[in-house]
């Protein structure tokens, strides 16, 4: 959990005066990284909670009345201390209550009792819905998906032996598969009459235990692509397949993994191609970035109510209307992935789909989860942003929450704060993949202050940027891209103006536009304006822009900052070697073309893509060590980096691999890898250069110009104020951002 303010104003007027948005970024199921202590697991006779607000015990409660009661840190109500609190029933000895995990750790997990179970704990349940239309078969999507699922069967969580799976394929009809363990061969059952009521042939043999039916499941997956290799069907009835899958598991919950290529064109939920290149980059583009119909949003909401989520692996050969299809993902709390122009004959395309799908199946999710955010008296939850189903104003449903899930909480301050700290608490009730019901409690406390100096001095620019991005995605979908861009600039101008007004009103020097801790907020704001999710130009396809927005909307702060401020390294032979091949092995550069030109050989990571830039002036020796040939012989495009037996090539390959693995671990994304030559394909070259946000682009200002625009909108601010802090030592700015990437707030 991370808050935009580490010192909260004590009054609504002071919060309004600061212009800093108050909010949280919450990753409720984040798992400890190697080297971190595990989350304490507590199994008390009962779980003490506040009698008024139902908040959980945490390190910031206070014992009162001689220790017989505890005062809630959320609402202030005094509650009786449980009798077992000072006694260990197992050892029959007294214990020091102040050593209890719930009073010493900001994150704890409770083993939930029967009171927290409306039904027996849900097993892992996965239904695969695979598009087998002509486009999906010809692109190799069916082959790669079936092969990946087959190879990932051992990675699907199944420690308790209760995991169940089912398989549906869909073109103009819905194909079910009888894969009962008593059969020698899988049996296909075809339903072509797609009326309003989903029909399940032989429902008892469609959803089967993975362990019991493993041999026949392997036979099905091994033969699946051959079963449809001669198909000519261009029809697709995805909505009916989803309805059938839902009927199969609506009583127990689970997740539906959709592998899709064609646009659905049969029955309710049918879509048509809306892509119009003439509208890209114009105000009318906003219509393409809004759902064509609300059918898939309704599917997501309906499924989530039964604890069913949808994960979408969308691999269209051309246009896939990701904007509309992803609605079922967003509102069911699922995950979405896009593979535009997918072709399995490309090793990089096949590897990306296989890696992301395999990793997704291996994740240990929290099943049938619900999460509630509680805040101290005086604050209120105003809005929530992320992939989930909203049950109540502060309660969300996450049928299959995974470690990469994040959401933003926008807060209001209706009344003044009376205590010296303010607490935020997220409670996640979920079922483990082993069948245990647990409650994860995450509590964060920050100081309350009447001093505006401290409010500005302890604001978190990383959390502010992440919250602004998620609000921007929401605004762009409800209104337009211009509305989101304007909101970003207005937010920055408001903070800058408020700080300037405060500094001068206190008689202080007006040379600083922003305090040091917010000095990089303009850089992150400009990064948002130039990100493919929000930039204004005519070369970003609708599906790609929509996917970029979907990723940012559900991403952690770490991924958001990488997306807004990509990391750029100079690949030099004399870079300090590291036994761990850490991300800092190569020197960082500023995001400017002149630094790229001087380096000659650079690597850029924006979260979704990794670019290797090869300039004309690359030292011939470096080029030979990395590629085994001179500059003219280097191939460009979406290619794998050659493996050549020398130290420099090995270090670069290891560096690229670890960069991609880190993103896969933290964001479930396996970044594309591109080799870009200075005189390569213009669109590929421009794709790389567009990330150098300190330079001017066709539709956006340079960093220096952007700062000038801020000054003009903040009256009477001296020119020196920008350059004193924001334009000096730019290399240090990159280092600061890199350090922030690895800072984690509980």
């Amino acid at each position: 959990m991370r808050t935009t303010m580490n010192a909260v104003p004590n009054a609504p007027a002071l919060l309004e005066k600061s212009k800093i948005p108050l909010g949280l970024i919450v990753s409720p199921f984040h798992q400890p990284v190697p080297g971190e202590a595990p989350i304490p697991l507590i199994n008390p006779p009962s779980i003490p909670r506040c009698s008024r607000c139902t908040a959980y015990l945490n390190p910031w409660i206070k014992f009162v009345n001689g220790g017989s009661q505890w005062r809630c840190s959320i609402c202030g109500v005094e509650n009786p201390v449980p009798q077992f609190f000072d006694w260990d029933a197992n050892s029959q000895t007294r214990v020091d209550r102040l050593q209890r995990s719930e009073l010493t750790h900001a994150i704890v997990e409770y083993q939930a009792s029967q009171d927290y179970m409306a039904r027996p704990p849900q097993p892992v349940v996965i239904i695969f819905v695979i598009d087998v239309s002509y486009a999906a078969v010809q692109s190799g999507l069916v082959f790669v998906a079936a092969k990946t699922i087959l190879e990932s069967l051992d990675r699907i969580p199944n420690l308790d032996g209760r995991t169940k799976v089912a398989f549906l394929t869909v073109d103009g009809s819905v194909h079910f598969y009888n894969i009962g363990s008593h059969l020698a061969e899988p049996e296909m059952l075809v339903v072509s009459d797609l009326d309003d009521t989903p029909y399940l042939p032989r429902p008892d043999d469609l959803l089967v235990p993975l362990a019991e039916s493993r041999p026949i499941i392997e036979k099905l997956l091994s033969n699946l692509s051959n079963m449809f290799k001669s198909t000519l069907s261009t029809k697709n009835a995805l909505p009916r397949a989803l309805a059938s899958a839902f009927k199969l598991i609506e009583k127990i919950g689970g997740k539906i993994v959709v592998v899709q290529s064609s646009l659905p064109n049969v029955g309710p939920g049918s879509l048509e191609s809306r892509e119009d290149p003439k509208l890209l980059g114009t105000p009318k583009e906003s219509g393409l970035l809004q759902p064509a119909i609300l059918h898939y949003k309704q599917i997501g909401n309906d499924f989530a109510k039964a604890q069913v989520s949808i994960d979408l692996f969308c691999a269209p050969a051309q246009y896939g209307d990701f904007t509309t299809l992803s609605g079922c993902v967003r509102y069911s709390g699922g995950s979405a992935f896009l593979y535009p122009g997918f072709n399995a004959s490309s090793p990089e395309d096949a590897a990306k789909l296989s890696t992301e799908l395999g990793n997704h199946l291996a994740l240990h999710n929290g099943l049938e989860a619900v999460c509630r955010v509680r805040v101290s008296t005086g604050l209120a939850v105003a809005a929530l942003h992320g992939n989930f189903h909203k049950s109540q104003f502060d309660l969300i449903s996450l049928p299959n929450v995974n470690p990469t899930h994040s959401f933003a909480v926008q807060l209001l301050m209706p009344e003044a704060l009376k205590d010296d700290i303010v607490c935020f608490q997220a409670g996640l009730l979920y079922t483990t993949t082993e069948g245990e019901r647990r409650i994860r409690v995450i509590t964060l406390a920050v100081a309350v202050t009447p001093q505006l100096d401290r409010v500005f001095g302890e604001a978190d620019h990383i959390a502010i940027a992440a919250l602004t991005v998620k609000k921007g995605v929401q605004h762009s979908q409800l209104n337009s891209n211009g509305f989101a861009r304007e909101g970003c600039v207005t937010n920055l101008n408001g903070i800058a103006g408020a700080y300037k007004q405060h500094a001068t009103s206190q008689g202080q020097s007006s040379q600083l536009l922003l305090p040091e801790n917010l000095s990089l907020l303009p850089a992150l704001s400009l990064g948002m304006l130039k990100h493919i999710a929000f930039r204004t130009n005519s070369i970003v396809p609708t599906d790609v822009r929509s996917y970029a927005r979907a990723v940012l909307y559900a991403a952690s702060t770490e991924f958001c900052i990488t997306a807004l401020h990509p990391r750029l390294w100079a690949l030099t032979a004399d870079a300090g070697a590291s036994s761990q091949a850490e991300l800092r092995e190569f020197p960082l550069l500023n995001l400017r073309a002149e630094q790229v030109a001087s380096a000659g050989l650079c690597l850029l990571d924006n979260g979704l893509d990794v670019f290797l830039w090869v300039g004309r002036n690359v030292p011939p020796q470096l080029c030979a060590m990395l590629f085994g040939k001179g500059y003219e012989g280097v191939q460009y495009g979406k290619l794998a980096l050659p493996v050549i037996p020398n130290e420099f090539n090995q270090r670069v390959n290891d560096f690229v691999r670890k960069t991609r693995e880190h993103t896969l671990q933290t964001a479930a994304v396996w970044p594309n890898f591109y080799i870009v030559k200075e005189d390569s394909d213009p669109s590929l070259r421009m794709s790389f250069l567009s990330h150098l946000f300190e330079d001017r682009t066709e539709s956006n200002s340079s960093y220096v110009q952007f700062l000038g625009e801020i000054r003009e909108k903040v009256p009477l601010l001296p020119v020196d104020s920008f350059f004193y802090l924001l334009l000096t030592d730019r290399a240090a700015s990159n280092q600061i951002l890199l350090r922030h990437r690895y800072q984690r707030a509980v």
Side-chain angles (χ1 to χ4, degrees), residues 132-170:
V132 291
S133 64
Y134 178 80
V137 173
Q138 291 301 307
S139 68
L141 176 63
V142 178
F143 173 80
V144 174
K147 183 173 182 291
T148 301
I149 297 169
L150 176 62
E151 294 173 348
S152 302
L153 291 178
D154 287 330
R155 301 175 65 192
I156 296 175
N158 193 23
L159 289 179
D160 60 356
R162 299 192 305 145
T163 297
K164 294 185 177 183
V165 296
F167 294 86
L168 278 68
T169 54
V170 58

Side-chain angles (χ1 to χ4, degrees), residues 569-578 584-589 598-599 601 619 621-622 625 646-649 651-652:
W569 297 277
L571 302 183
T572 58
D574 58 351
S578 167
R584 301 188 190 193
E585 180 177 354
F586 293 100
L588 282 162
L589 299 175
S598 63
L601 196 62
Q621 184 180 5
L622 275 185
M625 286 192 295
N646 65 69
E647 181 184 356
F648 180 66
N649 180 279
R651 278 173 43 209
V652 174

Side-chain angles (χ1 to χ4, degrees), residues 247-519:
K247 186 173 183 179
L248 193 58
I249 61 173
E250 63 178 328
K251 301 296 184 182
I252 56 176
K255 69 177 176 180
I256 302 171
V257 177
V258 178
V259 181
Q260 186 74 7
S261 177
S262 302
L263 274 176
N265 55 15
V266 175
S270 295
L271 300 173
E272 297 179 354
S273 178
R274 300 185 291 153
E275 185 80 313
D276 187 348
K278 293 179 296 190
L279 300 182
L280 301 183
T282 69
K284 293 183 178 180
E285 183 187 16
S286 61
L288 303 179
L289 294 167
Q290 296 176 353
I293 55 177
L294 297 180
H295 185 81
Y296 293 90
K297 175 182 177 180
Q298 188 61 48
I299 286 177
N301 281 319
D302 291 343
F303 284 25
K305 293 175 183 177
Q307 296 296 341
V308 176
S309 67
I310 301 174
D311 300 321
L312 174 64
F313 293 80
C314 185
Q318 297 178 349
Y319 173 70
D321 202 350
F322 183 86
T323 302
T324 302
L325 290 180
S326 61
C328 64
V329 174
R330 175 178 172 183
Y331 293 97
S332 68
S335 301
F337 303 84
L338 179 68
Y339 311 90
F342 177 84
N343 192 322
S345 62
S346 165
E348 283 292 309
D349 279 5
K352 178 175 174 63
L353 173 61
S354 181
T355 302
E356 292 180 346
L357 178 56
N359 177 75
H360 186 73
L361 296 178
L363 291 174
H364 282 260
N365 294 346
L367 312 178
E368 51 184 345
V370 291
C371 183
R372 169 165 272 137
V373 177
R374 298 176 176 88
V375 295
S376 289
T377 301
L379 300 179
V381 174
L384 297 162
H385 305 285
N387 286 0
F388 50 74
H389 170 71
K390 191 172 181 179
S391 302
Q392 299 175 19
F393 73 95
D394 62 349
L395 180 68
I396 60 176
S397 173
L398 297 161
N400 282 271
V401 61
N402 68 55
T404 67
H405 263 119
S406 290
F407 61 89
V409 184
Q410 202 172 333
L411 300 173
L412 295 175
M413 186 184 293
E415 58 187 77
L417 304 177
K418 299 178 181 179
D419 293 332
D420 55 357
I421 64 167
V422 63
C423 280
F424 313 100
Q425 188 176 89
L428 180 75
L429 174 64
Y430 72 98
T431 301
T432 69
T433 53
E434 292 79 33
E436 286 188 1
R437 198 72 169 143
R438 292 187 181 179
I439 305 169
R440 176 175 293 191
V441 180
I442 307 170
T443 310
L444 175 65
V446 298
V448 174
T449 179
Q451 301 173 347
L452 200 53
D453 271 339
R454 191 176 178 189
V455 173
F456 282 113
E458 298 189 34
D460 184 342
H461 67 292
I462 301 292
I464 293 172
L467 177 62
T468 302
V469 163
K470 295 180 187 297
K471 288 170 58 179
V473 172
Q474 178 80 354
H475 289 322
S476 64
Q477 292 176 338
L478 296 178
N479 298 284
S480 66
N481 190 46
F483 194 88
R485 290 171 58 86
E486 182 181 349
C488 172
V489 175
T490 300
N491 183 61
L492 176 60
N493 288 335
I495 296 173
Y499 182 75
K500 175 259 175 182
Q501 184 178 11
H502 167 69
T504 55
S505 66
Q506 297 297 320
Q508 302 173 2
S509 170
S510 60
Q511 285 188 324
L512 292 180
L513 175 63
L514 291 170
E516 184 175 1
N517 55 295
L518 295 180
S519 62

